[in-house]
């Protein structure tokens, strides 16, 4: 397997996949990440997913991020998947 600079847990990798899918607006990828075990309530602390309006609260959860990205389909899916 490829060496990584920092060890990323399976959970972190799945959370990143979930957030990447939300970022790209692809509900199929969102579903698949969750099906593969991504935690819908996990907060990402990855600064590339920074939230503009959560002040100094660290991290943002998937639903908040989807709302911020404005994908209605993904927001609705996450609400019913919770």
């Amino acid at each position: 397997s490829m060496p990584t600079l920092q060890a990323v847990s399976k959970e972190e990798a799945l959370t990143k996949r979930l957030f990447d899918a939300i970022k790209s607006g692809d509900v199929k990828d969102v579903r698949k990440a969750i099906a593969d075990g991504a935690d819908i309530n996990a907060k990402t602390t990855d600064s590339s997913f920074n939230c503009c309006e959560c002040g100094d609260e660290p991290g943002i959860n998937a639903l908040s991020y989807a709302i911020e990205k404005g994908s209605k389909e993904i927001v609705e899916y996450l609400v019913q998947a919770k």
Side-chain angles (χ1 to χ4, degrees):
S1 66
M2 278 178 45
T4 48
L5 292 175
Q6 64 188 77
V8 172
S9 70
K10 187 167 185 280
E11 286 77 18
E12 283 174 304
L14 282 164
T15 299
K16 180 158 173 27
R17 247 181 69 197
L18 175 58
F19 277 79
D20 278 334
I22 294 168
K23 192 176 205 172
S24 69
D26 191 334
V27 76
K28 281 203 309 291
D29 284 350
V30 170
R31 280 202 194 101
K32 190 155 170 22
I34 292 168
D36 287 348
D39 178 2
I40 197 165
N41 297 307
K43 288 190 167 182
T44 182
T45 49
D46 185 327
S47 59
S48 63
F49 301 116
N50 264 349
C51 160
C52 18
E53 61 236 29
C54 46
D56 37 32
E57 190 194 331
I60 176 175
N61 67 23
L63 184 57
S64 305
Y65 189 62
I67 290 167
E68 188 179 298
K69 284 289 156 211
S71 170
K72 188 166 177 289
E73 193 183 6
I74 292 175
V75 169
E76 285 171 357
Y77 176 72
L78 291 173
V79 166
Q80 53 125 50
K82 257 187 177 311

